[in-house]
């Protein structure tokens, strides 16, 4: 082939994570990594990181500093069971997904639960969250923010169940669309509302709210 037919072509990669994997592996489907940190460390711009079904206990923050698509088998199957069976959990003294210096990051098809601090925090860049479950996150005593969104972020088609605290909106053009909010607790020690922050353009549409507060 002429050289100009192949020069500059970027082939987007799939990197896999499995609870029984090993961070010394190559990150292929048959030799997956064990942690998101290892996968994100070697991933290139616009790569896709796929969590296999299982429970992932995190003890440190996952720093995401490049444009990535982070998902589960739901990407291929569109089976909601793959969302429920891919669980990312953590502790209490760190941000679970700490996103910075990235064009944008996509998070899809995960259950994020039982993390007693901020689940996702962005710094001057958007995060696009779709088809996720957020359950029992945040600190029940302080009820501070359990999610922090920045300019251009969007959360859609996701379920928020029994979280503690509020969603912090730190810039404009944030969209919350088509989500379900059940039994989320806020107001005892912090802001008495589910969304807090930016007073500019902030869109909340087509959501279902049941027994929050």
């Amino acid at each position: 082939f002429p050289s100009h037919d192949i020069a500059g072509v970027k082939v987007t990669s799939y990197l896999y994570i499995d609870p029984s994997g090993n961070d010394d592996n190559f990150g292929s489907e048959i030799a997956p990594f064990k942690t998101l940190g290892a996968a994100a460390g070697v991933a290139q711009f616009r790569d896709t990181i796929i969590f296999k079904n299982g429970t992932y206990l995190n003890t440190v923050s996952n720093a995401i500093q490049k444009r990535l698509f982070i998902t589960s088998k739901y990407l291929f199957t569109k089976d909601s069971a793959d969302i429920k069976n891919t669980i990312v959990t953590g502790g209490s003294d760190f941000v679970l997904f700490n996103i910075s210096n990235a064009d944008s990051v996509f998070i899809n098809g995960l259950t994020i639960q039982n993390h007693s601090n901020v689940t996702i925090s962005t710094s001057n860049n958007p995060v696009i969250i779709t088809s996720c479950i957020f359950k029992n996150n945040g600190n029940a005593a302080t009820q501070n923010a359990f999610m922090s969104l920045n300019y251009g972020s969007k959360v859609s088609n996701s379920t928020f169940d029994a979280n503690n605290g509020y969603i912090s909106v730190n810039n404009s053009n944030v969209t919350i669309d088509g989500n379900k909010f059940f039994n989320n607790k806020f107001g005892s020690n912090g802001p008495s509302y589910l969304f807090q922050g930016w007073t500019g353009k902030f869109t909340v549409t087509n959501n279902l709210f049941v027994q929050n507060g």
Side-chain angles (χ1 to χ4, degrees):
F1 296 99
S3 61
H4 63 76
D5 286 344
I6 59 174
V9 174
K10 169 65 173 74
V11 178
T12 301
S13 299
Y14 290 128
L15 296 171
Y16 289 84
I17 312 172
D18 190 284
S20 62
N22 190 310
D23 284 346
D24 291 327
N25 285 343
F26 292 109
S28 66
E29 187 170 10
I30 61 173
F33 293 117
K34 183 179 180 65
T35 66
L36 175 59
V42 302
Q44 300 298 305
F45 179 78
R46 298 182 68 179
D47 279 353
T48 297
I49 297 175
I50 301 168
F51 283 86
K52 291 190 171 184
N53 286 0
T55 298
Y56 298 82
L57 174 63
N58 294 265
T59 58
V60 296
S61 182
N62 294 294
I64 310 296
Q65 297 181 323
K66 62 195 77 167
R67 183 184 179 99
L68 296 174
F69 193 94
I70 300 170
T71 185
S72 66
K73 289 172 58 180
Y74 178 77
L75 175 67
F76 307 113
T77 66
K78 297 300 182 286
D79 184 347
S80 61
D82 286 319
I83 302 174
K84 295 177 181 178
N85 292 327
T86 309
I87 300 169
V88 182
T89 186
S92 61
D93 58 352
F94 58 91
V95 176
L96 196 54
F97 290 84
N98 195 359
I99 301 169
S100 62
N101 302 320
D103 178 9
S104 56
V105 173
F106 300 81
I107 298 177
N108 167 262
L110 303 177
T111 291
I112 299 173
Q113 70 178 36
N114 299 332
H115 181 64
S116 300
N117 205 310
V118 180
T119 56
I120 297 173
S121 178
T122 64
S123 176
N124 298 319
N125 49 269
V127 60
I128 311 301
I129 302 168
T130 58
S131 302
C132 287
I133 297 172
F134 293 85
K135 186 173 183 178
N136 195 36
N137 299 293
N139 189 303
T142 63
Q143 293 191 339
N144 292 325
F146 68 86
M147 180 181 292
S148 180
L149 304 175
N150 219 298
Y151 179 86
S153 293
K154 182 175 182 178
V155 183
S156 62
N157 301 317
S158 295
T159 299
F160 293 79
D161 184 14
N163 298 286
N164 292 284
Y166 56 91
I167 296 174
S168 179
V169 180
N170 300 311
N171 214 316
S172 61
N173 292 324
V174 171
T175 300
I176 310 293
D177 179 69
N179 304 284
K180 298 176 181 178
F181 294 86
F182 302 118
N183 306 306
N184 298 285
K185 305 300 181 185
F186 53 87
S188 63
N189 295 298
S192 57
Y193 28 79
L194 186 55
F195 305 104
Q196 184 269 339
W198 189 258
T199 58
K201 185 178 180 182
F202 171 35
T203 303
V204 180
T205 55
N206 304 313
N207 298 281
L208 175 66
F209 297 90
V210 179
Q211 294 185 336
N212 300 285

